């Protein structure tokens, strides 16, 4: 019995050791790539150029002339970062940018030329760069703030979309301070 | 029949216009051309009196807010004033923020409607004046002393930053001499003293400076050009 038990025992030990090693390997590998996740950050080389900045302000200025609603603001610190960790601000901006590009600007890409072209192609590029970043923490607060923004824009309809364009200079400011 | 109608029309017009002359309606009381004028981040609200409303009994009241705020704030020192401008520099000191101002006129107890500015963003709309520049010789180098145009003082918590950094302005210094075909930019940055080394003796140099807003690639007018001869 004793002789039979020993190999079984050492076999079990071997399996245990192998599993542990495998788990450690997975944990180490995962530790580097998975639980933290790629940070939402942009490279200095992606900062908006003076031309992009000029066109952004010009675009915002023109669109804001058509926006008479002075007490509703979409892109503001108080609205977007409420209850959010400072380390997650760029992740918020990723969500905001994605909505802005895909659900607003692309619909109006023919307007406010030539400024829209410059600004939109820059924002599409930045949106693409931020595409793969995520956070591991619970992002309920973030989703709520972003949803509030989306709801406000949808409630206002077309004038909400014009409001988004009229605030692109503010979006630019937030992107630059939170993602670079 | 037709002439009767015409006469009636005439009478109606006559009485209507007569009435607007004796009792000004609110539209004509409204201040006109309400806008910010911004120079070196000094942001002054300007307006003109309403049509035919330049009497001594016209008083203006000014309010402002950051874009997105629900309520307007009174500018106390511009409440019931007779001048047609109001300094809102302190109230609009966050240079990348967006603001609104509005004015209404009060004439003999009748307030006009508010007239609102377009959205105002100081860093985008302000005009920057040329810098101050002085030049001194020291042996084989030139010292350029620079000073920004008159910029508003910042709030106490922002004082740790230099003026130039806070307003995102840099100096640019250019030099020419008879051998340089084109002027050369020899400095771009926020230092207020710049040393130009290795200047050749018996040569005259001319130096000029400007303020530059890198964010928009915008330059101010040039400073006065100063020329010196190296002994």
């Amino acid at each position: 019995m004793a002789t039979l038990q020993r190999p079984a025992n050492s076999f079990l030990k071997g399996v245990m050791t192998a599993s542990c090693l495998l788990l450690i390997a997975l944990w180490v590998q995962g530790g580097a790539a998975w639980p933290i996740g790629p940070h939402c950050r942009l490279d200095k080389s992606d900062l908006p150029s003076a031309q992009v900045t000029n066109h952004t302000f010009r675009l915002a200025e023109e669109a804001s002339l058509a926006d008479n609603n002075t007490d509703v603001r979409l892109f503001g610190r108080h609205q977007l970062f409420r209850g959010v960790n400072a380390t997650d601000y760029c992740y918020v901006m990723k969500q905001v940018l994605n909505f802005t590009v895909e659900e607003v600007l692309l619909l109006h890409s023919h307007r406010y030329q030539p400024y829209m072209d410059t600004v939109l192609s820059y924002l599409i590029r930045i949106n693409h760069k931020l595409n793969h970043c995520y956070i591991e923490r619970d992002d309920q607060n973030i989703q709520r703030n972003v949803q509030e923004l989306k709801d406000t824009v949808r409630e206002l309809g077309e004038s909400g979309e014009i409001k988004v364009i009229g605030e692109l200079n503010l979006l630019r400011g937030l992107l630059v301070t939170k993602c670079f | 029949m037709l002439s009767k109608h015409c006469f009636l029309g005439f009478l109606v017009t006559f009485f209507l216009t007569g009435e607007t002359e004796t009792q000004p309606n609110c539209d004509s009381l409204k201040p006109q051309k309400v806008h910010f004028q911004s120079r070196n981040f000094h942001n002054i609200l300007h307006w003109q009196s309403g049509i035919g409303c330049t009497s001594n009994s016209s008083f203006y009241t000014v309010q402002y807010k950051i874009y997105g705020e629900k309520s307007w704030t009174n500018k106390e020192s511009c409440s019931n004033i007779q001048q047609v401008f109001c300094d809102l520099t302190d109230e609009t000191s966050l240079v990348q923020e967006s603001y609104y101002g509005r004015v209404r006129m009060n004439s003999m107890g009748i307030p006009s409607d508010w007239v609102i500015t377009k959205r105002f963003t100081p860093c985008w709309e302000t005009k920057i004046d040329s810098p101050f520049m002085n030049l001194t010789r020291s042996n084989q180098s030139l010292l350029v002393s620079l000073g920004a145009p008159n910029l508003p003082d910042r709030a106490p918590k922002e004082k740790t930053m230099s003026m130039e950094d806070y307003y995102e302005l840099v100096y640019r210094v250019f030099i020419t001499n008879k051998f340089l075909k084109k002027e050369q930019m020899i400095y771009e940055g926020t230092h207020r003293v710049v040393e130009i080394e290795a200047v050749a003796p018996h040569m005259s140099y001319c130096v000029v400076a400007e303020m530059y807003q890198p964010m928009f690639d915008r330059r101010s007018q040039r400073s006065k050009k100063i020329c010196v001869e190296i002994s």
Side-chain angles (χ1 to χ4, degrees):
Chain A
M1 279 300 277
T3 46
L4 263 176
Q5 228 172 14
R6 194 172 278 167
N9 208 356
S10 69
F11 174 74
L12 261 178
K13 263 188 191 161
V15 169
M16 292 279 280
T17 317
S19 319
C20 278
L21 279 172
L22 190 68
L23 273 174
I24 288 168
L26 276 173
W27 179 74
V28 167
Q29 201 190 17
W34 183 53
I36 299 166
H39 285 297
C40 289
R41 278 256 146 258
L42 287 165
D43 202 66
K44 289 264 183 272
S45 61
D46 291 320
L47 276 167
S49 66
Q51 198 212 10
V52 168
T53 303
N54 270 311
H55 283 201
T56 306
F57 275 78
R58 190 61 66 82
L59 180 57
E61 187 176 41
E62 282 197 17
S64 73
L65 290 176
D67 178 12
N68 298 324
N69 187 342
T70 65
D71 51 11
V72 173
R73 175 176 177 147
L74 305 164
F75 305 146
R77 266 162 291 155
H78 308 300
Q79 292 87 336
L80 297 177
F81 305 135
R82 200 187 313 124
V84 178
N85 272 336
T87 47
D88 297 338
Y89 284 174
C90 186
Y91 177 74
V92 178
M93 292 317 295
K94 166 204 159 139
Q95 310 270 331
V96 171
L97 180 63
N98 193 266
F99 167 71
T100 302
V101 169
E102 308 217 327
E103 293 181 54
V104 179
L105 298 185
L106 287 173
L107 298 178
H108 296 278
S109 56
H110 57 287
R111 303 174 86 154
Y112 304 112
Q113 290 297 344
Y115 312 115
M116 180 63 90
D117 260 358
T118 323
V119 176
L120 186 53
S121 55
Y122 171 75
L123 292 180
I124 286 173
R125 188 157 60 83
I126 297 305
N127 185 36
H128 184 72
K129 294 222 168 172
L130 286 174
N131 221 357
H132 301 292
C133 79
Y134 53 88
I135 55 168
E136 269 305 303
R137 282 176 292 280
D138 170 37
D139 67 347
Q140 219 180 343
N141 276 343
I142 298 173
Q143 292 314 329
R144 201 185 45 225
N145 293 355
V146 175
Q147 193 54 48
E148 217 168 274
L149 163 75
K150 292 180 182 178
D151 292 346
T152 311
V153 174
R154 281 173 196 145
E155 263 169 45
L156 294 171
E158 184 165 337
S159 65
E161 289 160 11
I162 299 301
K163 189 177 262 299
V164 168
I165 303 171
E167 289 190 27
L168 286 176
N169 62 323
L170 303 172
L171 179 80
R172 176 209 169 272
L174 290 174
L175 268 176
V176 167
T177 52
K178 309 305 178 199
C179 291
F180 286 90
Chain B
M1 196 63 186
L2 189 70
S3 63
K4 213 174 185 181
H5 270 136
C6 281
F7 184 62
L8 265 176
F10 169 74
L11 276 183
V12 167
T13 324
F14 180 80
F15 281 114
L16 278 179
T17 44
E19 196 168 61
T20 52
E21 270 162 24
T22 51
Q23 201 178 52
N25 67 25
C26 277
D27 243 29
S28 68
L29 280 175
K30 269 167 41 176
Q32 311 281 308
K33 298 186 179 157
V34 182
H35 68 287
F36 279 96
Q37 273 178 26
S38 180
R39 191 165 169 186
N40 304 319
F41 296 101
H42 290 272
N43 308 322
I44 319 287
L45 191 70
H46 286 261
W47 60 91
Q48 293 174 6
S49 58
I51 305 150
C53 291
T54 45
S55 74
N56 287 337
S57 56
S58 304
F59 296 93
Y60 301 99
T61 295
V62 171
Q63 294 186 334
Y64 64 91
K65 73 171 173 180
I66 290 184
Y67 167 53
E69 283 178 352
K70 300 269 180 275
S71 58
W72 293 84
T73 310
N74 280 320
K75 169 70 179 167
E76 294 302 337
S77 61
C78 300
S79 220
N80 284 315
I81 52 167
Q82 287 195 292
Q83 72 206 29
V84 287
F85 60 90
C86 174
D87 188 343
L88 289 174
T89 303
D90 292 343
E91 290 72 21
T92 51
S93 64
L94 299 171
V95 298
Q96 290 205 39
E97 258 301 346
S98 291
Y99 299 92
Y100 283 102
R102 67 179 189 180
V103 189
R104 77 173 174 196
M105 196 184 91
N106 201 314
S107 181
M108 294 175 287
I110 309 162
S112 75
D113 289 340
W114 290 103
V115 182
I116 191 168
T117 61
K118 68 184 183 71
R119 201 177 297 168
F120 169 68
T121 309
C123 70
W124 170 243
E125 286 175 58
T126 203
K127 299 267 181 295
I128 304 293
D129 282 333
S130 54
F132 299 101
M133 187 192 72
N134 224 328
L135 207 56
T136 44
R137 265 173 294 176
S138 86
N139 295 329
Q140 294 312 303
S141 68
L142 288 171
L143 284 182
V144 187
S145 318
L146 299 157
N150 171 29
L151 298 164
D153 238 357
R154 296 136 296 156
K157 65 174 181 156
E158 295 148 354
K159 288 254 166 131
T160 48
M161 269 177 133
S162 77
M163 238 19 179
E164 292 83 355
D165 285 336
Y166 181 74
Y167 291 108
E168 295 191 44
L169 292 171
V170 297
Y171 301 102
R172 278 178 158 184
V173 179
F174 302 86
I175 191 165
T176 48
N177 67 33
K178 65 179 176 184
F179 291 117
L180 289 172
K181 285 207 179 88
K182 252 172 65 180
E183 68 171 21
Q184 279 183 350
M185 185 168 79
I186 46 151
Y187 179 73
E188 179 178 323
T190 53
H191 292 168
R192 290 174 193 168
V193 178
V194 175
E195 188 176 9
I196 307 173
E197 286 173 320
V199 285
H202 315 300
M203 176 76 86
S204 70
Y205 290 92
C206 291
V207 179
V208 70
E210 68 186 19
M211 299 306 297
Y212 181 65
Q213 267 182 297
M215 185 172 163
F216 299 112
D217 185 28
R218 250 191 226 158
R219 62 214 67 218
S220 73
Q221 296 271 309
R222 294 291 183 89
S223 69
K224 209 164 74 185
K225 185 186 271 189
I226 302 180
C227 299
V228 287
E229 168 120 25
I230 307 294
S231 50

